[in-house]
């Protein structure tokens, strides 16, 4: 039995075992991604669904799968970018578009430039987390190739990179119809190049088609450019593409999940070129911006949902905009399938949170003091310039705790720690987050520190 049939069989069981809204909300956009050595990997459209299925429906899913396969399966849940689009009356906004720029078998993209028109400046909400990137994007649209070239935009997932760089493309086409714009992902670039090489080998052409496409544009937008790192041929070709365009003063816009210096296996010459123009990052939105994003969607789609419920969702989902939109859609969908108004109780039920548990707040002075004592370093050392390991780690832990238990923005944390840059703080926080996943020592340190801070 193939995975598709297996899942369809299981879904039929879930549909009987669950109420219709529950089934609709949590199961319709899932699928089996892989089944190997007794491990079934289930793809979910977003974090909420993943958490829901993991915590509430694991046993139901397992027993159905075990019964059908006659095996003892283990389940893993992952976020699946290719998840089927949501079929609801809410409309295209809530569908996850196919990764833009990835040529698909069904004859997409609809247009040669690879842009999706739903991504505009107009529906991009600005806040302290992204206003620099936004201003740079606007300046590029006004005079492509003249200011900020290349633009290198980076952020964590779901924070609006694709939206903003697509908006740049869409707006340039509108304002300067004569300019040729191409948007594509690092992955699509790689695939097209490989196909071209194949074709050249079979003597059915040369690399000229590819080069004509990418070197004769006025604006080249590459999304998820980190994908090309570690691939020699692609990096080589990209390097020449980049240079040709750059020399001709054509606009280059790149987006990535990390700054150039942190993309591993990125050729140094590319890294230095990527950093040579304007580098801008975007941070997760604060609660006000999250609120604004949801209110804007309400207006755009004429939805009936109260401020109170929007406030609740905005408070409940802080990770990124994609999850925020996912949660919002779930509340709306649930209400629609059940023919109810999206009330606060309904939203609480759907999101599995009764009230927003505010993270306890601590004074930043207290955090610095406790860390200095715990690691036996002085406060001056924490705030000072020295980069010895014995000081760097406590400093990064300080960044992490300040980030987690105070409302101080990244720049403010940098200030507290002796005038450091906000990106330094962000990297410090990420470092500790990564180690938290792996290092028992760091886990223990944080447990102890939190106990001392009573959080
Ligand atoms: P990334 O490319 O950084 O992973 P996306 O651009 O795909 O993120 O954004 C995820 C979703 O959130 C998209 O639907 C996008 O339209 C939306 N989004 C992100 N940032 C904003 C914003 N500032 N205002 C409005 N919508 C946003
Ligand atoms: Mg993206």
């Amino acid at each position: 039995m193939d995975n598709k049939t297996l899942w369809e069989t299981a879904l039929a069981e879930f549909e009987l075992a669950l109420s219709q809204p529950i089934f609709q909300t949590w199961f319709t956009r899932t699928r089996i991604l892989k089944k190997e050595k007794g491990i079934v990997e289930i793809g979910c459209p977003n974090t909420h669904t993943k958490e829901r299925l993991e915590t509430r429906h694991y046993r139901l899913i397992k027993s159905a799968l075990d019964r059908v396969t006659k095996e003892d399966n283990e389940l893993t849940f992952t976020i699946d970018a290719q998840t089927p689009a949501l079929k609801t009356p809410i409309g295209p906004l809530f569908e996850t578009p196919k990764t833009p720029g990835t040529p698909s078998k069904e004859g997409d993209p609809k247009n040669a430039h690879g842009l999706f028109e739903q991504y505009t400046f107009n529906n991009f909400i600005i806040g302290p987390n992204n206003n620099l990137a936004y201003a740079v994007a606007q300046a590029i649209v006004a005079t492509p190739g003249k200011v900020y070239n290349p633009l290198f935009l980076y952020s964590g997932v779901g924070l609006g990179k694709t939206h903003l760089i697509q908006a740049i493309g869409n707006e340039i086409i509108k304002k300067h119809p004569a300019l040729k714009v191409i948007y594509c992902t690092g992955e699509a670039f790689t695939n097209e190049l490989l196909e071209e090489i194949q074709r050249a080998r079979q003597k059915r052409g040369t690399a000229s088609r590819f080069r004509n496409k990418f070197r004769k544009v006025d604006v080249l937008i590459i999304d998820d450019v980190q994908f090309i790192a570690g691939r020699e041929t692609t990096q080589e070709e990209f390097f020449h593409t980049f240079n040709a365009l750059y020399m001709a003063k054509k606009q280059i816009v790149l987006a990535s999940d990390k700054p150039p210096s942190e993309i591993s296996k990125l050729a140094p010459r590319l890294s230095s070129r990527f950093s040579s123009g304007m580098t801008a990052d975007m941070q997760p939105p604060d609660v006000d911006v999250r609120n604004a994003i949801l209110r804007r969607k309400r207006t755009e789609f004429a939805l009936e949902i109260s401020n109170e419920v929007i406030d609740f969702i905005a408070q409940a989902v802080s990770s990124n905009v994609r999850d925020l939109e996912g949660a919002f859609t779930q509340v709306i969908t649930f209400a629609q399938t059940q023919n109810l108004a999206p009330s606060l109780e309904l939203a609480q039920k759907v999101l599995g949170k009764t009230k927003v548990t505010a993270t306890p707040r601590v004074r930043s002075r207290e955090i610095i003091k406790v860390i200095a004592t715990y690691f036996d370093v002085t406060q001056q050392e924490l705030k000072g310039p020295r980069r010895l390991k014995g000081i760097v780690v406590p400093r990064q832990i300080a960044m992490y705790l300040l980030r987690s238990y105070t409302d101080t923005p990244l720049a403010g944390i940098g200030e507290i720690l002796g005038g450091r840059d906000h990106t330094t703080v962000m990297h410090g926080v990420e470092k500790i987050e990564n180690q938290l996943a792996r290092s028992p020592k760091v886990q223990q340190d944080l447990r102890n520190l939190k106990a001392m801070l009573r959080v």
Side-chain angles (χ1 to χ4, degrees):
M1 185 183 282
D2 64 20
N3 289 341
K4 190 156 175 284
T5 323
L6 171 59
W7 194 235
E8 276 163 9
T9 316
L11 283 175
E13 285 205 20
F14 306 152
E15 200 166 4
L16 290 176
L18 299 164
S19 79
Q20 191 58 16
I22 300 280
F23 176 76
Q24 286 279 338
T25 310
W26 304 111
F27 285 87
T28 44
R29 298 168 74 216
T30 54
R31 60 175 183 160
I32 295 183
L33 295 174
K34 208 161 68 192
K35 180 172 176 302
E36 231 173 56
K37 302 198 186 89
I39 300 177
V40 184
E41 185 179 349
I42 294 159
C44 310
N46 49 45
T47 334
H48 280 291
T49 311
K50 175 176 177 294
E51 283 170 6
R52 233 332 137 102
L53 296 185
E54 259 170 354
T55 53
R56 304 276 180 97
H57 302 295
Y58 190 99
R59 289 174 59 179
L60 173 74
I61 303 172
K62 176 172 160 49
S63 67
L65 290 176
D66 287 357
R67 215 173 7 256
V68 182
T69 58
K70 303 196 173 53
E71 288 166 22
D72 179 19
N73 296 290
E74 192 181 312
L75 312 182
T76 64
F77 296 85
T78 44
I79 312 270
D80 172 18
Q82 303 299 323
T83 186
L86 193 58
K87 290 195 198 68
T88 72
I90 320 177
L93 166 79
F94 299 98
E95 290 178 11
T96 324
K98 267 192 224 78
T99 311
T102 318
S104 82
K105 305 245 158 32
E106 300 106 50
D108 269 18
K110 287 180 197 66
N111 46 48
H113 39 64
L115 295 168
F116 286 76
E117 49 189 49
Q118 78 257 34
Y119 294 120
T120 62
F121 282 129
N122 197 24
N123 60 16
F124 187 83
I125 307 293
I126 317 161
N129 56 310
N130 59 18
N131 55 7
L132 172 70
Y134 183 85
V136 170
Q138 294 263 312
I140 288 175
V141 168
T143 54
K146 296 274 182 344
V147 286
Y148 310 130
N149 203 18
L151 164 61
F152 191 97
L153 177 67
Y154 68 94
S155 81
V157 296
L159 293 178
K161 296 181 292 296
T162 298
H163 188 134
L164 192 59
I165 62 176
Q166 284 255 337
I168 294 178
N170 280 321
E171 194 71 13
I172 290 182
I173 286 175
K174 212 157 67 183
K175 283 225 171 94
H176 316 273
L179 296 187
K180 194 164 180 311
V181 178
I182 285 204
Y183 166 97
C184 110
T185 61
E187 186 174 2
F189 183 88
T190 305
N191 291 340
E192 283 197 38
L193 179 64
L194 297 183
E195 279 168 25
E196 188 75 32
I197 292 170
Q198 286 278 323
R199 229 176 284 129
R201 270 205 199 109
Q202 296 160 0
K203 300 226 168 32
R204 288 198 281 118
T206 60
S208 65
R209 200 189 62 99
F210 183 87
R211 287 189 184 151
N212 274 335
K213 172 168 174 186
F214 287 104
R215 295 195 195 174
K216 296 211 169 122
V217 297
D218 300 294
V219 181
L220 180 64
I221 306 173
I222 304 282
D223 204 348
D224 293 321
V225 70
Q226 75 276 1
F227 185 88
I228 71 169
R231 296 164 207 266
E232 244 167 72
T233 321
T234 316
Q235 294 197 86
E236 170 85 22
E237 182 64 30
F238 194 73
F239 180 73
H240 294 298
T241 306
F242 185 102
N243 286 344
L245 293 174
Y246 187 79
M247 301 297 269
K249 299 209 165 31
K250 305 298 188 187
Q251 179 69 47
I252 303 167
V253 174
L254 307 167
S256 159
D257 59 353
K258 293 194 188 72
S261 59
E262 285 175 22
I263 303 177
S264 71
K265 301 206 190 120
L266 181 66
R269 58 184 180 164
L270 278 179
S271 176
S272 76
R273 275 176 181 62
F274 289 179
S275 325
S276 66
M278 178 71 191
T279 308
D281 69 336
M282 294 195 288
Q283 301 290 325
D286 61 25
V287 68
D288 296 331
V289 175
R290 300 202 294 275
N291 226 302
I293 290 174
L294 297 184
R295 280 165 195 242
R296 148 114 219 156
K297 284 194 192 309
R298 172 174 63 187
T299 315
E300 192 173 348
F301 292 86
L303 300 166
E304 293 286 335
I305 182 165
S306 68
N307 286 344
E308 188 194 21
V309 178
I310 285 191
D311 287 350
F312 168 74
I313 302 172
Q315 297 230 11
V317 186
S318 60
S319 50
N320 64 57
V321 184
R322 189 171 298 148
D323 288 349
L324 179 71
E325 288 185 341
F328 184 69
T329 310
Q330 260 159 1
V331 171
I332 302 274
T333 314
F334 191 94
Q336 285 183 347
T337 56
Q338 226 176 8
N339 248 328
L340 289 172
S343 64
L344 187 60
E345 297 76 65
L346 182 141
Q348 290 173 341
K349 191 167 148 199
V350 172
L351 301 185
K353 296 186 184 172
T354 39
K355 63 177 193 327
V356 181
T357 44
T359 320
R361 303 281 91 176
V362 185
R363 275 180 214 248
S364 48
R365 237 185 299 134
E366 190 67 12
I367 291 178
I368 300 287
K369 212 171 86 194
V370 165
I371 288 189
T373 316
Y374 183 79
F375 289 106
D376 193 18
V377 295
T378 66
Q379 297 199 20
Q380 284 72 21
E381 282 172 322
L382 278 179
K383 297 177 183 178
R386 296 178 70 193
R387 306 199 32 86
L388 296 176
K389 184 148 187 274
I391 300 169
V392 169
V393 175
R395 195 180 285 141
Q396 287 172 337
I397 292 184
M399 293 171 181
Y400 174 86
L401 288 174
L402 288 165
R403 183 78 179 143
S404 309
Y405 298 105
T406 71
D407 290 317
T408 322
L410 290 173
I413 297 175
E415 276 304 303
I416 294 173
L417 290 168
R420 297 187 140 74
D421 194 66
H422 77 279
T423 50
T424 312
V425 177
M426 188 174 74
H427 299 152
V429 173
E430 277 173 8
K431 196 104 194 210
I432 299 304
E433 281 171 351
N434 289 338
Q435 290 187 359
L436 261 178
R438 274 178 274 118
S439 157
K441 158 115 178 49
V442 173
Q443 290 163 2
Q444 188 57 49
D445 284 343
L446 276 165
R447 263 198 300 276
N448 295 342
L449 286 163
K450 284 188 199 167
M452 284 187 269
L453 292 165
R454 287 186 286 280
V455 291

